[in-house]
Amino acid sequence: MTASPLFLGLPDRLDDGRTPRAVIFGAGHGSTYSGKDSCGYALAANAIRAASQDDAPLIEHWDFDLGGPLFDGKPVSCIDAGDIETIMHDNAGNRARIEAKTREVLSLPSVPILIGGDCSVTIPFLAGFADRGPVWVLQIDAHIDWRDELHGERFGYSSPMRRASEMPHVAGMVQVGLRSVGSARPADVEAARVYGSRFVTAREIHAEGAEAALRHIPEGVPVVVTLDCDSFDPAIMPGVAARTPGGLTYTQAIDLIARLGRRARIAGFDLVEFYPPADRDGLSALTAARLLVNVIGATARQE
């Protein structure tokens, strides 16, 4: 557990015995690469928590992103469980702890909301849904993350969607926000297409809105959303390792989440690849915090 302020001033438990609708937890490290220091990602969860504190007294106020107060006039239904322990280069141990925490939250049952960490944390997060399938995966990202391995590591930040495609409980995948160039080679793109992943570029979202992605997701299905912060345009999310022009706007992202919550069911959410050392004036942390507010609001409004 962490001693830092909890997200949005939320409690770490509900004292009236109710089961929380959603549980936030952080994980600083997933599968790190030998010789590569990824300590900066471990700062993300607490930077986002800190950025949320100004709004902590306002959770009962009207939120125009949500069309009402955060919990829609009902009691608080989300808690912040703090951070699980992760250790640099303890790849197998980190994955085991993240998967175990995800399973624990799902058993309540609650919607797990994970704050990473780089996107290698997504692999054990998705693995935690093995007994809750079938689920769909909505990846919001500039890149497809379909490398089978990178630098000898098969569970690193370039491989989460390839590993997800191998999970029997993953029924389908939509990858939205794609643009520019990344680690994917032509063979990786072809492998994703053969699997049946639906690609939706950032340009398609700019032209058509959320429907360009949501039309690929069957109505009513449970969906695990994984959002890489480089899906956003760097003008509002400079705190990433791979800044790429042409990304999604904040409004496009929250519209995608809100409409997904009405079309299907948000079963889990992770936010990854926020790198605080590259942030500018706390802008990325603020954008990430407001995005998570919208995720909490969407889960509070689900049946």
Side-chain angles (χ1 to χ4, degrees), residues 55-144:
D55 286 349
L58 308 178
I59 62 172
E60 295 182 0
H61 290 209
W62 192 274
D63 190 322
F64 281 92
D65 286 352
L66 299 168
L70 175 58
F71 295 106
D72 203 24
K74 302 178 181 68
V76 170
S77 59
C78 178
I79 65 171
D80 184 345
D83 296 341
I84 61 173
E85 181 183 13
T86 59
I87 303 167
M88 181 79 75
H89 303 317
D90 181 16
N91 294 1
N94 293 340
R95 292 197 300 271
R97 287 184 284 270
I98 294 167
E99 180 176 346
K101 184 64 176 182
T102 303
R103 288 178 178 270
E104 175 190 319
V105 172
L106 288 168
S107 71
L108 293 176
S110 301
V111 175
I113 299 176
L114 167 61
I115 309 174
D118 69 35
C119 65
S120 66
V121 305
T122 299
I123 298 172
F125 184 66
L126 289 172
F129 287 81
D131 298 331
R132 306 285 167 168
V135 299
W136 278 67
V137 174
L138 175 64
Q139 180 204 27
I140 307 173
D141 200 328
H143 313 107
I144 65 169

Side-chain angles (χ1 to χ4, degrees), residues 169-257:
H169 59 284
V170 173
M173 185 184 305
V174 180
Q175 301 182 258
V176 56
L178 308 175
R179 66 190 190 279
S180 190
V181 64
S183 68
R185 301 156 302 184
D188 302 313
V189 173
E190 180 61 19
R193 287 176 168 154
V194 168
Y195 166 76
S197 183
R198 286 77 164 176
F199 292 165
V200 181
T201 65
R203 292 174 75 174
E204 289 175 280
I205 295 294
H206 294 321
E208 304 176 45
E211 180 58 26
L214 296 180
R215 65 188 175 214
H216 299 295
I217 297 176
E219 293 186 14
V221 299
V223 181
V224 182
V225 182
T226 175
L227 183 138
D228 186 316
C229 285
D230 66 29
S231 62
F232 284 107
D233 192 83
I236 60 168
M237 184 62 74
V240 296
R243 294 176 183 165
T244 308
L248 304 187
T249 68
Y250 169 76
T251 302
Q252 287 170 336
I254 65 170
D255 186 46
L256 188 57
I257 290 163

Side-chain angles (χ1 to χ4, degrees), residues 279-300:
D279 201 2
R280 297 289 182 269
D281 197 29
L283 177 60
S284 304
L286 176 62
T287 300
R290 282 301 308 170
L291 181 83
L292 289 176
V293 168
N294 279 266
V295 173
I296 295 168
T299 63

